[in-house]
Amino acid sequence: MTVGCIGTGMMGGALLRGIVKEVLPSDIMVYDADLEKAKLLADELNVKVASDIIDLAKKCDYIIIAVKPAHFYSVINEISSCLTLNKVLISIAAG
């Protein structure tokens, strides 16, 4: 089982800090449009940083979308070609 998180802000970071207690860090990948923010969280939790959003979507079984609601549809559109019936999407976007 691999877990990916798109968005490493306050909410994405909080979720990952809990998930890392249950999932091996080597099975967790993060991505953020702000690469420095993603690297900081990845270093803190000892998880991987995806080279891009498509890389994360292809490699992860569970994909957490932790972006602001205004960015939700652009993220979905960008990763839609990578989604299969075997993937689970989890969104924390309000609304």
Side-chain angles (χ1 to χ4, degrees):
M1 172 180 76
T2 54
V3 177
C5 187
I6 299 169
T8 57
M10 297 295 283
M11 293 302 295
L15 282 169
L16 286 169
R17 285 180 187 92
I19 290 169
V20 79
K21 296 175 184 175
E22 302 296 326
V23 178
L24 292 173
S26 61
D27 291 335
I28 299 173
M29 183 178 282
V30 298
Y31 174 80
D32 197 288
D34 181 344
L35 187 57
E36 286 304 311
K37 191 188 305 185
K39 285 180 180 178
L40 283 173
L41 185 64
D43 288 345
E44 174 190 335
L45 301 176
N46 198 31
V47 299
K48 297 178 259 185
V49 176
S51 58
D52 57 49
I53 197 169
I54 300 298
D55 182 44
L56 183 143
K58 285 181 179 178
K59 291 180 179 174
C60 294
D61 302 311
Y62 293 84
I63 302 168
I64 300 167
I65 302 174
V67 298
K68 292 186 167 126
H71 302 290
F72 178 79
Y73 288 108
S74 65
V75 167
I76 291 296
N77 286 335
E78 198 165 345
I79 66 172
S80 64
S81 65
C82 304
L83 302 179
T84 66
L85 294 175
N86 297 326
K87 296 195 183 276
V88 176
L89 288 181
I90 302 161
S91 171
I92 64 165

